[in-house]
Amino acid sequence: MSVASPASPLHAGASRSAAPRRLLLLGNPNTGKTTLFNRLCGMRAKTANFPGTTTDLRVGSLQMPLTGGASETLEVVDLPGLYSLKLDLPESTVAANAVAGHEGARPAAAIVVADATNLSRHLMLVGELTREAVPFVVALNMIDLAHRRGLSFDLEKMSRAIGAPVVPIAARSGKGIDQLLAVLPEVCAAQGSAASTERRAPVSAVELELWAETVVAESVGGIGAVGSSSDTLLDRLDETFTHPIAGLVIFHLVMAALFWVIFAVASIPMDLIEAIFSNLGGFLEARMPAGAVRDLLVGGLIGGVSGTVVFLPQICLLFFLITILEDTGYLARAAFVMDRLLCRFGLPGYAFVPLLSSHACAIPGILATRLIPDRHDRFATILVAPFMSCSARLPVYVLLTNFLFADQPLFAGIAFAACYLLGAIAAMASAFLVRRTLLPGKSRPMVLELPTYKWPSLRVAFATAFEQGWSFLRTVGTVILAICFVMWWLSAYPKVEPPAAALALSAQAAALAPVSPEGAERLAAEAAGLTLSHQQEASFAGRLGRTVEPLFAPLGYDWRLTMGVLTAFAAREVFVSTLAVLVGAPDEGDAGILQRIHAAKRDDGSRLLTPATAVSLLVFFVLAMQCLATVVTVRRETKSWKWPLLQFCWMT
């Protein structure tokens, strides 16, 4: 999530300590409400939790222009997508309480975002809001798509029928945002005054639907154009994408293509990042005097951090492509298909969004389960969410699949997708088991309105990729940096004398240097390798790794892989950084971090990584519960240590 910027000055005449007035954003799911929120607030957003609720909401700040060049700061709250304020669902309760002012001061105003291409359905929520004492404006979103479909709107007639201003916008492109901001001061000025009785919509749901259809019939033209041949084509696409068999096949093909693109395209910036860190390490090594400080910077910090930063392009590209798929409307179709599948394993259809969110990180995925109404459904989703392959696993997957299928991006992509599939299978099997034992009951089906197809917004996709990449870099700059320092110290101390074999090779290299410089260099590199191996074997890390090594020996792990696995319980992505520190200096100066790890040798001279070991590590990282922060989050959400301990033991 984005981090809130420092509070902006309040409008003229206001006390600097006064809290800003609140502006609510309401709308059905898939109306572009969050896109509008990003347009209004930019990066001035954060995640907040209303007192007395368990739902995290996005909160940002907006500078509302006033007359005379002044402005007022409004607190903008992006409420969950909902179909009605009256439903017995968590999102409806949160929104209704926010509208009524139960979560603090009564809001100054609200913006109701409605899809211009499906107005009848969305006006029902607008009708409910006409009976509340909150002034509002209707943002008629996706107006560009509606115009392309041949629809026309009489905004004055629609505004009179609703009793509130109606502003056409296209949130993705920014069209109409200025007009929306222009009417906000007038709307906010009406705070506290209720809508006139004659403009209020009916109370019952049936009468409300007759009212919404009447408003559309009187103020929207060209409705017949919606039934054009282009819509027939879109209907056929929907039938295919949501087919119980074809839909699943297409979903897996789309995911496989996505992973192939990640491997094929990201290799260029990855090579560039490796070269930058390699040159930086070589620059410092050549200009700094030998000693602990140089070893720490070159072998510990630069070597360790580069082992994680090198995967930044793939992480950014993954979220960029997922955002593109979501923006086109395809992921909603995938959710519809997966709903049928999830229910068969005892998970509710509502679990799709938390499970999809868990592919970024299990923690927000677990927090997203707060919108699942049933307790058993929610706990079952929490227990299986960590099986979804999160972004922290990506560096490990890339390292090992690249080793297994070097220079074969197609097969590497398939192996990469197989890791995600294995996690999903483990999650479904675990859910099937837990819903028939610890959490019995029938899962609740999901009500989902399919959004319209539209061209994706590259701006939104780039912003999402940047946000996720920056979040990843913040982890690199804190947790991973600290662990790299600790691992370097553990592997560098206590200092020991070089072995006799290394001393003999060094002497031979010195004698051979005048005759054969190349031969002398080869002997010197071999001596350095023996010295490093001897130092690591006698170090604190070597001793600790060998103590725990018998536990992981059946998996084919030596002490270095064992240390990598142990440190990964703090943060999974640290595994690669730990190996980068423990394998030490490369035999060849221009070797990248991946090549160094791939070519590393064990103490007996055998390869550190073999195909069998690589597959074993992949399976371990897919299935094991290696995230202490997730354990703490599960404890907080379930209010018991029983569930996280059960989850940790089962997954590990």
Side-chain angles (χ1 to χ4, degrees):
M1 293 294 180
S2 304
V3 180
S5 65
S8 304
L10 296 180
H11 61 287
S15 171
R16 188 172 295 272
S17 60
R21 294 196 291 171
R22 179 175 292 171
L23 175 68
L24 303 180
L25 278 185
L26 293 94
N28 290 182
N30 302 311
T31 58
K33 179 171 55 64
T34 300
T35 303
L36 175 60
F37 174 85
N38 292 332
R39 279 282 177 185
L40 296 177
C41 302
M43 298 300 292
R44 303 181 302 276
K46 63 181 179 180
T47 300
N49 185 274
F50 279 178
T53 74
T54 59
T55 303
D56 285 328
L57 304 172
R58 285 178 62 83
V59 178
S61 61
L62 165 68
Q63 292 295 324
M64 181 177 67
L66 302 176
T67 57
S71 64
E72 176 186 358
T73 300
L74 295 179
E75 180 189 63
V76 184
V77 180
D78 184 15
L79 293 170
L82 71 157
Y83 293 104
S84 171
L85 294 170
K86 311 300 182 183
L87 296 177
D88 185 20
L89 293 173
E91 60 268 30
S92 298
T93 302
V94 169
N97 288 338
V99 169
H102 295 163
E103 314 297 350
R106 184 177 295 277
I111 298 177
V112 187
V113 186
D115 184 352
T117 65
N118 190 16
L119 198 53
S120 296
R121 166 70 66 181
H122 295 214
L123 279 181
M124 295 181 67
L125 179 61
V126 174
E128 290 183 354
L129 203 61
T130 61
R131 308 193 65 83
E132 304 291 339
V134 175
F136 66 92
V137 55
V138 177
L140 204 60
N141 196 20
M142 307 182 198
I143 193 67
D144 50 348
L145 183 59
H147 285 161
R148 286 198 297 269
R149 293 193 173 191
L151 298 178
S152 61
F153 301 88
D154 188 331
L155 298 179
E156 292 186 5
K157 185 176 292 186
M158 185 183 300
S159 178
R160 287 195 302 270
I162 294 174
V166 179
V167 179
I169 67 169
R172 290 191 301 127
S173 64
K175 179 181 178 181
I177 301 299
D178 291 340
Q179 290 81 351
L180 181 63
L181 291 174
V183 303
L184 271 182
E186 180 183 351
V187 176
C188 291
Q191 182 180 14
S193 63
S196 59
T197 305
E198 63 271 18
R199 291 180 180 176
R200 292 185 180 185
V203 177
S204 70
V206 175
E207 292 177 339
L208 195 62
E209 184 175 355
L210 295 169
W211 173 83
E213 291 178 352
T214 300
V215 172
V216 171
E218 294 178 351
S219 58
V220 181
I223 296 179
V226 177
S228 62
S229 59
S230 62
D231 291 305
T232 303
L233 174 61
L234 297 181
D235 291 339
R236 291 176 180 174
L237 286 177
D238 276 344
E239 292 177 2
T240 304
F241 289 149
T242 59
H243 192 273
I245 298 177
L248 278 176
V249 173
I250 293 174
F251 176 73
H252 287 104
L253 289 176
V254 168
M255 292 297 106
L258 181 144
F259 294 133
W260 176 82
V261 171
I262 290 175
F263 274 87
V265 175
S267 60
I268 297 176
M270 288 178 67
D271 292 341
L272 178 61
I273 292 175
E274 280 201 320
I276 291 174
F277 276 99
S278 178
N279 291 332
L280 177 60
F283 175 83
L284 293 178
E285 192 169 18
R287 285 161 178 78
M288 292 183 66
V293 176
R294 188 182 75 174
D295 293 342
L296 171 62
L297 289 177
V298 177
L301 302 185
I302 293 179
V305 171
S306 66
T308 303
V309 176
V310 70
F311 302 105
L312 178 64
Q314 290 182 316
I315 292 174
C316 292
L317 188 57
L318 172 65
F319 286 102
F320 176 83
L321 294 176
I322 287 179
T323 304
I324 290 292
L325 290 177
E326 182 178 16
D327 213 13
T328 60
Y330 171 72
L331 280 189
R333 275 80 184 170
F336 186 83
V337 173
M338 296 303 294
D339 177 38
R340 300 190 188 111
L341 182 63
L342 291 175
C343 289
R344 295 180 181 179
F345 290 93
L347 289 176
Y350 294 96
F352 178 78
V353 172
L355 294 181
L356 185 64
S357 302
S358 296
H359 284 99
C361 177
I363 293 176
I366 290 171
L367 296 179
T369 64
R370 293 173 176 178
L371 293 179
I372 298 178
D374 183 77
R375 179 179 179 271
H376 281 197
D377 284 348
R378 183 178 178 228
F379 276 29
T381 307
I382 288 175
L383 290 177
V384 303
F387 277 116
M388 301 295 107
S389 291
C390 62
S391 59
R393 292 175 167 107
L394 293 183
V396 183
Y397 291 177
V398 174
L399 170 72
L400 299 173
T401 52
N402 271 332
F403 171 77
L404 290 170
F405 302 101
D407 301 322
Q408 295 177 294
L410 176 60
F411 291 103
I414 293 175
F416 200 90
C419 294
Y420 280 73
L421 181 60
L422 176 60
I425 292 174
M428 296 302 103
S430 299
F432 184 85
L433 178 64
V434 76
R435 288 313 301 268
R436 283 154 181 80
T437 54
L438 301 177
L439 298 170
K442 188 176 181 180
S443 60
R444 183 171 181 170
M446 177 176 63
V447 178
L448 177 68
E449 181 180 1
L450 297 181
T452 55
Y453 291 100
K454 54 183 179 292
W455 287 106
S457 170
L458 295 180
R459 178 183 180 274
V460 173
F462 278 117
T464 302
F466 174 82
E467 183 178 344
Q468 294 295 334
W470 181 244
S471 176
F472 178 74
L473 288 179
R474 287 201 302 268
T475 303
V476 172
T478 54
V479 176
I480 295 177
L481 195 65
I483 291 179
C484 286
F485 175 82
V486 172
M487 288 308 306
W488 171 84
W489 186 87
L490 290 175
S491 64
Y493 293 95
K495 292 293 185 181
V496 295
E497 293 296 325
L503 294 175
L505 286 173
S506 297
Q508 294 177 25
L512 190 60
V515 180
S516 175
E518 294 182 358
E521 185 178 351
R522 186 173 62 254
L523 290 176
E526 188 176 349
L530 287 175
T531 301
L532 178 63
S533 178
H534 181 70
Q535 170 63 46
Q536 290 182 338
E537 184 177 356
S539 67
F540 294 122
R543 297 172 187 178
L544 179 60
R546 281 183 170 77
T547 302
V548 187
E549 183 180 1
L551 293 176
F552 293 89
L555 297 176
Y557 305 167
D558 75 335
W559 69 270
R560 282 179 291 190
L561 293 177
T562 298
M563 287 299 298
V565 169
L566 292 179
T567 56
F569 278 92
R572 289 184 177 99
E573 55 267 63
V574 174
F575 175 80
V576 182
S577 297
T578 299
L579 289 186
V581 174
L582 293 181
V583 298
D587 294 333
E588 301 178 5
D590 60 349
I593 184 61
L594 298 183
Q595 288 74 23
R596 287 170 51 190
I597 297 176
H598 291 169
K601 300 289 179 38
R602 304 190 182 209
D603 296 338
D604 59 3
S606 61
R607 296 287 296 271
L608 177 67
L609 288 178
T610 65
T613 303
V615 172
S616 171
L617 281 165
L618 279 175
V619 174
F620 184 87
F621 272 86
V622 168
L623 300 180
M625 180 68 163
Q626 291 175 276
C627 186
L628 297 182
T630 301
V631 174
V632 174
T633 302
V634 174
R635 160 64 181 85
R636 186 180 65 182
E637 293 301 304
T638 61
K639 297 179 173 56
S640 170
W641 279 109
K642 176 182 71 173
W643 298 109
L645 290 178
L646 173 66
Q647 184 183 45
F648 181 87
C649 294
W650 171 250
M651 293 184 65
T652 304

